[in-house]
Structures are given as structure tokens and as C-alpha cells.
Amino acid sequence: MEQTLSIIKPDAVKKSVVGKIIDRFETNGLRVAAIKKMQLSKKDAEQFYSVHKERSFFSDLIQFMISGPVIVMVLEGENAVLKNRELMGSTNPKEAKKGTIRADFADSVEANAVHGSDCLENAKIEIEFFFAKNAVY
Ligand code: CMP
């Protein structure tokens, strides 16, 4: 069993598609092991996305991620990291496969509905960033 971190981003929360997105995870064998709705501070977002700090899109990414509340979750299941990434689809929704979350709910590479950890090592770091050990069941 693996765990991975998922964020439903401000665009998808504003569109009220939170339930539809969580349904994709649950019907595909990913269990919600922890969940909270929160407003990221600028500091939270900058720290969470610090690997991208040299990228040209960093400041727009931070502004977008603090533009409204997000849903942060730990998803658990077999091959959870890869399965979550398959369900999300490509970062750019225009390149995302039909039937993926980003193809169905995202508008642009920035407002792309969801974030998911890219590997098991980062999943552990990202989960610890948001959740205490005793908050994941
Ligand atoms: P995410 O999986 O959350 O990780 C980093 C985010 O940066 C990515 O999704 C995109 O939403 C965002 N981003 C914005 N512009 C770009 C870009 N040009 N290339 C890649 N990611 C981008």
C-alpha cells in the first residue's frame, strides 16, 4: 500500500467539482486517508512549491494557489502515486487523455484542477508538510 498527496486546486474548488474529483479517486481504488479544506498562505505555497522557485511561472503559480481555498488529501491504495497521476492526466489539460481529471475539469496549465505527488519520496515529504502522523487514518 502506498500513500500520496493530492490537492484539489482553487479553480476546481470554485467550480464545485470537489465531489466529482474525489469520486474518481474512490471508484479507482484510492481511499481518502486524510482530508482538509484550507487557505494556503503565501509562505505555505512558496515552501510547498520551492522546487519550482527558479521557474518563470513560480510567482504566477503561487498567486494562483493562494487565490482561494484548496482541499488537501492523503490518498492510499496500491501504486497510489502512479495511479493518482494516471487519473489526473498531463499537467497541461490540452495534452491530458480523455477521461482524466484534468481533461474533464481543468482550464489551463496553471488552473489545472489537481496536484499529485510525482514520486513516493516526494509523497512522504508532501504528506508530512500538511498532516501530522496521527491525522492520517
Ligand atoms: P503541479 O502538479 O501542481 O506542479 C507545479 C505546477 O506548476 C503545475 O502543476 C502547474 O499547474 C504549474 N505550472 C504553471 N505554469 C507551468 C508551466 N509552464 N509548466 C509546468 N507547470 C506549470
Side-chain angles (χ1 to χ4, degrees):
M1 280 293 168
E2 276 181 15
Q3 291 182 339
T4 189
L5 188 90
S6 168
I7 302 179
I8 303 180
K9 296 188 180 185
D11 57 318
V13 173
K14 276 191 196 115
K15 280 191 215 165
S16 294
V17 291
V18 170
K20 287 182 179 159
I21 291 175
I22 293 176
D23 184 53
R24 301 276 175 109
F25 298 137
E26 291 188 327
T27 56
N28 287 282
L30 293 178
R31 193 177 71 76
V32 178
I35 184 165
K36 62 183 169 187
K37 186 173 191 178
M38 62 186 294
Q39 168 69 53
L40 295 179
S41 68
K42 189 162 182 275
K43 199 172 144 219
D44 292 333
E46 284 175 347
Q47 204 180 330
F48 182 76
Y49 278 120
S50 61
V51 290
H52 296 302
K53 64 175 183 291
E54 306 302 336
R55 310 287 292 269
S56 57
F57 58 81
F58 184 68
S59 134
D60 287 344
L61 170 63
I62 300 308
Q63 285 311 311
F64 171 68
M65 288 303 291
I66 65 171
S67 66
V70 295
I71 308 288
V72 189
M73 288 176 285
V74 177
L75 300 176
E76 185 178 276
E78 254 175 59
N79 298 316
V81 173
L82 188 63
K83 189 175 277 183
N84 181 34
R85 292 184 70 78
E86 283 170 2
L87 293 172
M88 289 193 301
S90 301
T91 305
N92 185 345
K94 290 192 186 93
E95 291 162 13
K97 276 194 203 143
K98 212 173 157 219
T100 60
I101 293 169
R102 283 169 170 158
D104 291 345
F105 301 116
D107 299 320
S108 66
V109 77
E110 182 176 84
N112 67 351
V114 278
H115 165 83
S117 309
D118 64 351
C119 64
L120 199 52
E121 190 190 352
N122 285 339
K124 289 200 172 78
I125 296 168
E126 293 184 354
I127 289 168
E128 275 178 26
F129 184 83
F130 284 111
F131 295 100
K133 282 226 158 44
N134 65 2
V136 182
Y137 304 95

